């Protein structure tokens, strides 16, 4: 009952797989009662606040985390998530362009940059990142999200299938992704969700 990692993994399952960000937040707050200075838990709390539709709180929590751990890559990732949900795309882009070179070019941050470009209407920059090729090798689900955001829905679903075949871990969050640019009633979306055999959860409000 006092294992912080167990609380963390449980919260990630609740938030990303089941789409229940609020329950994830409750679990993470219990974890912080055990270890108030766990920056990993603090960062995840910020992400789940954003996931629960509370991005202002999420951004504040992530920025508090970054004050303690400025090199924590996932905290930079979650900061971008919050900015995008707030519609602050240029802020996310600026932050990521500064962060990516000094953190070793982690591809989930590269994916965030491409998606931020796409959602802000800067399609050329978004597709330029995809053309570099690295993202498709390691983060096919991000490629799908970017292509959907630039209006290439059919190709996006081809990449969703590739993400499934490649066992891209990010695909497990397909039902909790709040800003999907395709119709959730699309039979192709429904087919992927069924094929993944995900457990029922609050994320089913989207399906």
């Amino acid at each position: 009952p006092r294992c912080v990692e167990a609380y963390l993994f449980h919260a990630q399952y609740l938030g990303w797989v089941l789409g229940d960000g609020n329950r994830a937040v409750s679990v993470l707050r219990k974890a912080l009662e055990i270890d108030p200075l766990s920056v990993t838990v603090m960062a995840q709390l910020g992400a789940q606040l954003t996931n629960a539709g509370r991005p202002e709180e999420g951004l504040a929590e992530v920025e508090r985390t970054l004050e303690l751990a400025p090199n924590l890559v996932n905290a930079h990732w979650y900061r971008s998530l919050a900015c995008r949900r707030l519609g602050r795309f240029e802020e996310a882009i600026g932050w990521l362009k500064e962060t990516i070179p000094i953190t070793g070019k982690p591809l989930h941050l590269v994916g965030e940059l491409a998606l931020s470009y796409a959602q802000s209407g800067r399609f050329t920059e978004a597709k330029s990142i995809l053309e570099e090729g690295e993202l498709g090798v390691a983060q096919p689900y991000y490629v799908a999200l970017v292509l959907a955001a630039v209006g290439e829905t059919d190709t996006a679903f081809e990449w969703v299938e590739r993400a499934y075949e490649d066992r891209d871990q990010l695909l497990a969050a397909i039902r909790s992704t709040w800003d999907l640019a395709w119709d959730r009633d699309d039979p192709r979306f429904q087919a992927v969700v069924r094929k993944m055999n995900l457990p029922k959860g609050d994320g089913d409000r989207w399906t």
Side-chain angles (χ1 to χ4, degrees):
R2 296 190 61 80
C3 178
V4 171
E5 285 192 354
Y7 280 103
L8 178 63
F9 292 145
H10 184 46
Q12 290 173 320
Y13 174 76
L14 289 171
W16 302 128
V17 179
L18 298 188
D20 195 340
N22 283 312
R23 283 179 65 199
V25 166
S26 296
V27 170
L28 291 165
R29 292 203 188 283
K30 291 178 182 177
L32 285 175
E33 290 175 5
I34 300 169
D35 186 355
L37 295 179
S38 171
V39 291
T40 304
V41 174
M42 290 167 61
Q44 187 63 216
L45 176 59
Q48 294 303 335
L49 284 164
T50 297
N51 189 29
R54 298 153 63 183
E56 295 263 7
E57 295 174 68
L59 183 57
E61 188 65 36
V62 171
E63 288 180 339
R64 186 166 74 94
T65 306
L66 286 168
E67 289 177 3
L68 297 172
N71 296 321
L72 185 63
V73 172
N74 277 358
H76 291 283
W77 184 21
Y78 302 148
R79 189 184 193 281
S80 178
L81 292 178
C83 285
R84 284 198 298 106
R85 187 147 197 183
L86 289 166
R88 291 157 55 174
F89 301 113
E90 294 304 320
E91 182 178 340
I93 289 167
W95 183 270
L96 289 165
K97 287 175 71 174
E98 290 181 7
T99 302
I100 288 169
I102 62 174
T103 53
K105 199 180 179 182
L107 287 178
H108 53 304
L109 295 191
V110 175
E112 268 295 300
L113 178 58
L115 189 54
S116 297
Y117 277 135
Q119 291 181 341
S120 67
R122 296 167 64 175
F123 294 173
T124 300
E125 289 105 322
K127 295 186 75 172
S128 177
I129 291 175
L130 298 190
E131 288 166 2
E132 292 176 7
E134 291 178 299
L135 204 58
V137 174
Q139 303 279 331
Y141 185 52
Y142 256 117
V143 175
L145 294 177
V146 172
L147 289 170
V150 303
E152 298 183 15
T153 306
D154 291 341
T155 310
F157 273 112
E158 293 175 8
W159 279 92
V160 170
E161 287 293 335
R162 176 164 175 177
Y164 175 80
E165 295 297 332
D166 291 356
R167 298 182 180 274
D168 185 343
Q169 293 182 358
L170 294 180
L171 188 62
I174 190 169
R175 293 183 313 179
S176 64
T177 306
W178 65 83
D179 54 356
L180 291 177
W182 54 67
D183 185 353
R184 293 174 188 272
D185 292 327
D186 189 305
R188 294 169 294 183
F189 175 81
Q190 297 290 338
V192 171
V193 171
R194 285 194 299 272
K195 185 161 57 174
M196 292 178 68
N197 197 28
L198 295 172
K200 295 292 183 180
D202 194 49
D204 294 314
R205 68 188 185 278
W206 302 124
T207 57

